[in-house]
Amino acid sequence: MSTLRLKTLPLLLVAACGGGESSTGSSSSSQPWFEDVGEACGAAVVHDLGRSERRYWIPEITGSGLGLFDADGDGDLDLFICQGGALQDGDPASASDALLLNDGLGNFTDITASAGIEDHLFGMGCAAADYDADGDIDLFVTNVGRNVLWRNEGDGTFTDATEEAGLVDEAWGTSAAFLDYDGDGDLDLFYCNYIRWAATNEVPCNNKLGEPDYCHPNNYDAPDSDRLWRNEGDGRFVDASQESGISKSFGNGLGVAWGDLTGDGRVDIYVANDGMANQLWVNMGSGRFQDQALAKGCALSGEGKAEAGMGVLLEDLDGDLRQDLFVTHLRSETNTFYRSKARRFADDTRRTGTVEASLNFTAFGVGAADFDHDGALDYYVANGRVGDATPRFSEERVLAEPDQLFRGAGDGTFTEVLPRGGTREEVLSLGRGAAFGDLDGDGDIDAVVADNGGPVRVLRNVAPKRGTWLLLDLREADGRTALGARVTLQAGGRKQLRQVQTAYSFCATNDPRVHFGVPEGAQVESIQVEWLDGTMQDLGALEPGRLHTVRRSSDR
């Protein structure tokens, strides 16, 4: 292992991407877009690092995430929260990961103990899907150490099926995704691994003032390979990392998103790496993948720099009906917008108008949604530093920062909403995982944000609306969520593209239902679904202001 010591901030500091700075617009909102209702709605969970005093060990500052999924099958989004935990023998006991049930109106009840899902490992992220095709949504949790697969028994309880499923792994997992990469109809599993870390190989680092601080991940000289597990269709998984080619490359993996990024009809996987080149695993068929991120223009910034990749989005952010990539980064870098071109991506961050707005913040979780129903995607980023720096936003929590909300114009340009974060007053936190979905059944998209060492923030959407909404719950013929299906809605002569996806942001799982904003005065003219296998289906002009459940016909 290298003996390099970076006596600077703990993650890589490089010049801003995008080939230069651009001024950004900002707008003050007389009405907030979000209201923090975490304590009032029963989600008063505080992130517990599982130690009594700071040691400056890198896991402490990296976690944790959370997820939204329907744990009890009643049609609404329940909340799972990852906690910290012991990192060595003798650490004090930490709080368990938590599962909270939603009453459908956005009020939560903690059922962790009765569900049998108590776990005191050092949690990082999660992914949720029906891996065993029994009609219930299961949960996979990544940890610093042993990951856990919780099988949903359908009676309000979960069973640790990790060993039975063959998923035992002692690495440091982060973001995870269920996906059908081989097209056999069942859900495989991919997850990022960060670094090969143990308490015995922790190294001391100092900041620019010579004070102890968290290290850059490259100080450990221990990047790991990610993992791909093939679902055998009988409840068991087989490690396909080597045969697929995934294990050939190493990185400090933190964020993942997937979809058909190359237009060949196959599932590709994009990974954001912290301080190393990102990876675009292009599906070559026959279970094989090849990293083509460099050739496709999404490995490095436009200046050719490896950045501190944390969270990831795969969305059509500029309205051209091609899915773009968006990656969150460390302060002094920008959050990078990789615009999708005909055959590759290009770093067009400077054209978004967000360069200056993102330079002073360290962003992790991220989600894009039409929060105000004007027909254009907005985006929200959860911010929080990873090392002490000046100026500080708070002397009590020196790493805390405000989150940020950007209103989209529909053409790939954005304006920051002020006060920052879209709340009536700025809230300072160490934002990490962020999950997005309609929590209270009112048709708009809410957010839940994990605060490292602080309380979970449940952000109810109260944005001034500029139209109405439409939600689609797309299902395969067997009833499972149609992950990877893409939907194009035309309203008011303008088309919008969305994908059924749960794996994006940072260490999070999200609402799989597809949400559209329909601008005021516009009529829904058509909705077309492209299922994962390429089959097209016309849904016609569905009524807005409603959730529509669409099950694919078994006749293909």
Side-chain angles (χ1 to χ4, degrees):
M1 183 176 71
S2 170
T3 58
L4 173 66
R5 299 289 188 272
L6 300 186
K7 305 295 186 179
T8 58
L9 298 179
L11 296 182
L12 191 62
L13 299 179
V14 300
C17 65
E21 295 187 9
S22 169
S23 62
T24 179
S26 62
S27 63
S28 296
S29 177
S30 59
Q31 183 176 338
W33 285 44
F34 294 104
E35 181 182 7
D36 191 346
V37 298
E39 185 172 355
C41 74
V45 178
V46 176
H47 182 248
D48 180 9
L49 285 168
R51 45 94 169 130
S52 57
E53 60 183 35
R54 180 175 291 176
R55 287 185 301 241
Y56 298 102
W57 288 4
I58 192 170
E60 297 173 349
I61 202 61
T62 309
S64 295
L66 37 70
L68 296 170
F69 74 108
D70 187 1
D72 56 357
D74 65 355
D76 55 43
L77 294 171
D78 307 303
L79 173 61
F80 179 81
I81 301 167
C82 296
Q83 286 284 15
L87 291 173
Q88 65 176 356
D89 292 341
D91 279 354
S94 64
S96 168
D97 294 344
L99 178 62
L100 284 66
L101 284 192
N102 188 345
D103 68 354
L105 300 176
N107 301 305
F108 293 93
T109 302
D110 192 330
I111 64 158
T112 307
S114 63
I117 207 165
E118 287 189 89
D119 189 0
H120 299 270
L121 298 172
F122 199 103
M124 285 299 304
C126 57
D130 183 9
Y131 82 91
D132 53 3
D134 66 353
D136 305 307
I137 305 298
D138 311 292
L139 181 68
F140 179 76
V141 181
T142 58
N143 294 298
V144 181
R146 180 182 183 269
N147 300 323
V148 180
L149 176 66
W150 293 106
R151 184 178 63 225
N152 191 332
E153 302 298 348
D155 59 0
T157 66
F158 289 76
T159 299
D160 184 346
T162 312
E163 293 190 15
E164 179 182 336
L167 284 171
V168 176
D169 188 0
E170 298 291 336
W172 178 353
T174 55
S175 293
F178 283 102
L179 71 172
D180 183 9
Y181 78 90
D182 52 6
D184 64 355
D186 51 38
L187 291 174
D188 312 299
L189 177 64
F190 178 95
Y191 54 86
C192 306
N193 282 328
Y194 192 41
I195 60 175
R196 289 171 282 122
W197 180 90
T200 54
N201 68 2
E202 180 58 58
V203 295
C205 291
N206 295 329
N207 60 26
K208 289 192 292 186
L209 299 177
E211 300 166 339
D213 212 334
Y214 294 101
C215 291
H216 183 300
N218 289 348
N219 277 35
Y220 301 89
D221 193 22
D224 205 350
S225 60
D226 300 328
R227 303 288 191 272
L228 179 65
W229 298 82
R230 185 178 65 248
N231 191 332
E232 296 294 274
D234 58 0
R236 296 180 301 114
F237 291 82
V238 172
D239 190 347
S241 306
Q242 184 172 356
E243 67 185 52
S244 66
I246 295 292
S247 64
K248 291 182 179 179
S249 295
F250 291 78
N252 306 321
L254 285 181
V256 65
W258 65 270
D260 181 6
L261 279 75
T262 57
D264 61 3
R266 292 190 287 259
V267 169
D268 309 304
I269 305 169
Y270 185 77
V271 176
N273 287 311
D274 185 2
M276 301 181 70
N278 301 322
Q279 295 154 338
L280 173 55
W281 292 108
V282 174
N283 192 332
M284 310 301 292
S286 302
R288 297 175 298 108
F289 287 83
Q290 185 178 90
D291 180 12
Q292 296 184 11
L294 191 60
K296 296 293 186 182
C298 53
L300 307 168
S301 75
E303 295 180 342
K305 303 289 184 64
E307 297 180 300
M310 268 82 93
V312 180
L313 281 182
L314 175 64
E315 291 282 4
D316 176 19
L317 293 174
D318 57 2
D320 65 356
L321 302 183
R322 290 194 296 255
Q323 290 173 294
D324 311 297
L325 289 165
F326 185 88
V327 184
T328 60
H329 290 124
L330 180 71
R331 67 189 303 269
S332 83
E333 300 171 349
T334 63
N335 296 326
T336 301
F337 173 50
Y338 293 107
R339 188 186 302 272
S340 177
K341 304 291 187 180
R343 296 185 179 182
R344 66 192 307 274
F345 294 87
D347 181 352
D348 276 354
T349 307
R350 67 181 182 274
R351 298 185 185 179
T352 65
T354 66
V355 170
E356 291 181 2
S358 62
L359 281 173
N360 291 323
F361 301 93
T362 294
F364 281 80
V366 58
D370 187 355
F371 294 117
D372 61 350
H373 297 168
D374 66 349
L377 283 175
D378 316 298
Y379 74 87
Y380 184 100
V381 290
N383 293 325
R385 296 180 182 176
V386 293
D388 195 2
T390 55
R392 296 171 175 173
F393 290 95
S394 169
E395 291 301 323
E396 295 180 359
R397 298 189 73 191
V398 297
L399 304 184
E401 296 180 331
D403 293 345
Q404 290 174 287
L405 170 66
F406 294 85
R407 184 185 176 200
D411 59 359
T413 63
F414 298 86
T415 301
E416 185 177 12
V417 176
L418 301 177
R420 289 193 174 99
T423 49
R424 191 172 298 278
E425 297 179 354
E426 289 185 359
V427 177
L428 301 180
S429 69
L430 273 67
R432 293 298 182 258
F436 300 83
D438 180 10
L439 295 177
D440 48 10
D442 64 356
D444 55 30
I445 300 302
D446 311 295
V448 188
V449 179
D451 180 352
N452 181 288
V456 169
R457 302 176 61 214
V458 179
L459 301 176
R460 184 175 63 194
N461 186 333
V462 294
K465 301 302 189 291
R466 297 170 171 86
T468 186
W469 56 276
L470 186 146
L471 272 168
L472 282 174
D473 184 359
L474 295 181
R475 304 285 178 140
E476 296 287 355
D478 62 3
R480 282 192 289 179
T481 298
L483 292 175
R486 295 195 286 190
V487 186
T488 303
L489 176 144
Q490 180 166 317
R494 181 178 179 179
K495 291 183 177 181
Q496 303 178 48
L497 174 67
R498 303 285 190 273
Q499 177 175 304
V500 180
Q501 56 179 328
T502 59
Y504 60 88
S505 188
F506 168 80
C507 287
T509 191
N510 301 273
D511 190 347
R513 297 172 297 183
V514 172
H515 174 269
F516 292 96
V518 180
E520 185 175 0
Q523 299 294 318
V524 175
E525 299 156 13
S526 66
I527 301 175
Q528 191 173 58
V529 178
E530 180 182 1
W531 302 94
L532 187 59
D533 64 1
T535 302
M536 306 297 294
Q537 182 177 349
D538 188 358
L539 301 184
L542 298 178
E543 181 183 356
R546 288 184 51 196
L547 166 65
H548 299 268
T549 298
V550 178
R551 182 174 291 207
R552 182 179 184 177
S553 171
S554 58
D555 299 326
R556 303 187 185 181

